[in-house]
Amino acid sequence: MAKKSAKKRTGNSPRYKFSVYIASPTRKSDSALARLRKICDEKIPADYEIKVIDLSKNPEFATHHNIVATPTVFRTLPAPVQKSIGDLSKADKALLGLDLFAAQT
């Protein structure tokens, strides 16, 4: 089952939603999740939600969402969907892949 980690604006749904696909909890997936939270806290504080999907428990999602490597991060809201693969260690590439360069609250 998917785990949720959320930060929400008071009284409203978050404008930004992310799905993080992992193969199982590892240092690399933990690092990617921590870096995503850091990026979100800096760029869109209190306006995001992160859902973690463990593909070892839900392998059907890998095929359905065309996941070929993990960790993979999808920004599902706002549209269009954006995707970044890897541990997000290169902040500029992560911001570009998730289209968060201009994001502001």
Side-chain angles (χ1 to χ4, degrees):
M1 175 132 282
K3 296 188 291 184
K4 274 196 173 181
S5 169
K7 296 213 175 200
K8 296 183 180 182
R9 292 191 304 178
T10 307
N12 293 325
S13 293
R15 287 186 305 159
Y16 292 86
K17 291 189 179 186
F18 300 89
S19 295
V20 180
Y21 294 87
I22 62 173
S24 64
T26 64
R27 262 188 259 172
K28 189 173 181 179
S29 63
D30 291 346
S31 292
L33 195 53
R35 288 183 180 117
L36 178 60
R37 284 188 181 118
K38 183 177 187 246
I39 290 168
C40 290
D41 286 342
E42 291 172 358
K43 290 291 197 178
I44 48 174
D47 197 13
Y48 68 91
E49 178 179 290
I50 298 171
K51 181 169 66 170
V52 178
I53 298 101
D54 185 342
L55 296 175
S56 68
K57 296 178 182 173
N58 302 290
E60 68 279 3
F61 288 135
T63 303
H64 183 69
H65 295 286
N66 297 318
I67 307 297
V68 295
T70 60
T72 298
V73 179
F74 283 89
R75 190 202 73 204
T76 56
L77 282 178
V81 172
Q82 299 291 323
K83 179 167 92 171
S84 184
I85 298 171
D87 64 2
L88 307 180
S89 59
K90 297 188 183 197
D92 288 346
K93 286 186 178 184
L95 289 171
L96 182 63
L98 298 171
D99 194 23
L100 293 174
F101 266 115
Q104 296 182 19
T105 55

